[in-house]
Amino acid sequence: MAFPTGAPGCTTSSVTETVRVYLPATLPVLNQLHERGELTPDGEAHAVTPALREWYAEGDEEELEYVAFTRAAQAALRLLRHTPGTPRRRVVLSADIPAGQVTGVDRDLGSSVVRLAAPVPLGAVAAIHVDDTDAEADVAAAVQVVEEALAGDPDAQFTVDGAEDHELAWYDPTELDDLLRDRS
């Protein structure tokens, strides 16, 4: 499923149409982005897809973007689960990607999962979102049960909700050096 040009969720510029994509990440991934100047997505990314738009028809653009963003933050929990020793802070990168490089993966109603056809250059990153240190305990607890929560366990979901109660701090990409120095 490709993203139609001119569709809501795409922005028009004189060069190309873009889609705002939310990439789950970790602090070590931010280091890689800094060192290489680009990020090769390893797994899922999220965006406002036609399937998400159809599922949440009454939602405005901001609400739909928040759903995609929140799903990326949950995917960051799964990344943390599989990377022991990584600081227990969720990271989500918001990036504007050319629409032709974004493909919907799951056609299920409500899905926001997309695949990217190319690495994401640092210049495409619009914002970096990272948990503050006060979220670490709740994020660490959520990391342990995120898979169970996705499988429908209400107790595990309660724990994941505790992490989701923490808002991720917003950083401009130009603050990446400072962010890595202060948070690693």
Side-chain angles (χ1 to χ4, degrees):
M1 144 182 42
F3 283 79
T5 58
C10 297
T11 56
T12 303
S13 74
S14 60
V15 177
T16 186
E17 302 226 7
T18 60
V19 176
R20 175 62 52 97
V21 175
Y22 304 95
L23 297 118
T26 61
L27 289 174
V29 169
L30 286 183
N31 280 318
Q32 293 172 3
L33 175 63
H34 181 259
E35 291 168 4
R36 298 179 186 155
E38 67 180 21
L39 173 67
T40 302
D42 184 23
E44 68 187 73
H46 293 267
V48 177
T49 63
L52 178 59
R53 193 175 302 286
E54 182 180 348
W55 171 74
Y56 196 33
E58 71 279 359
D60 64 21
E61 195 65 23
E62 188 173 323
E63 291 171 313
L64 292 168
E65 288 176 351
Y66 186 74
V67 170
F69 175 85
T70 301
R71 289 178 179 172
Q74 231 181 35
L77 289 174
R78 292 193 306 279
L79 285 176
L80 289 168
R81 183 172 179 149
H82 299 292
T83 53
T86 298
R88 294 319 199 204
R89 293 183 229 155
R90 298 167 297 165
V91 176
V92 175
L93 300 172
S94 298
D96 295 322
I97 306 298
Q101 295 180 7
V102 180
T103 307
V105 173
D106 188 351
R107 295 182 190 266
D108 288 344
L109 190 61
S111 175
S112 62
V113 177
V114 295
R115 178 175 297 122
L116 304 182
V120 177
L122 180 56
V125 176
I128 302 167
H129 310 271
V130 183
D131 272 315
D132 285 324
T133 56
D134 66 340
E136 282 190 43
D138 289 333
V139 170
V143 163
Q144 296 302 313
V145 298
V146 65
E147 299 294 344
E148 292 82 354
L150 289 170
D153 181 321
D155 292 330
Q157 186 60 54
F158 181 78
T159 302
V160 169
D161 289 345
E164 290 178 352
D165 285 343
H166 295 275
E167 294 291 326
L168 280 73
W170 180 94
Y171 295 88
D172 187 270
T174 61
E175 299 176 278
L176 183 56
D177 288 339
D178 296 333
L179 177 62
L180 292 173
R181 186 174 32 260
D182 296 342
R183 299 213 175 237
S184 309

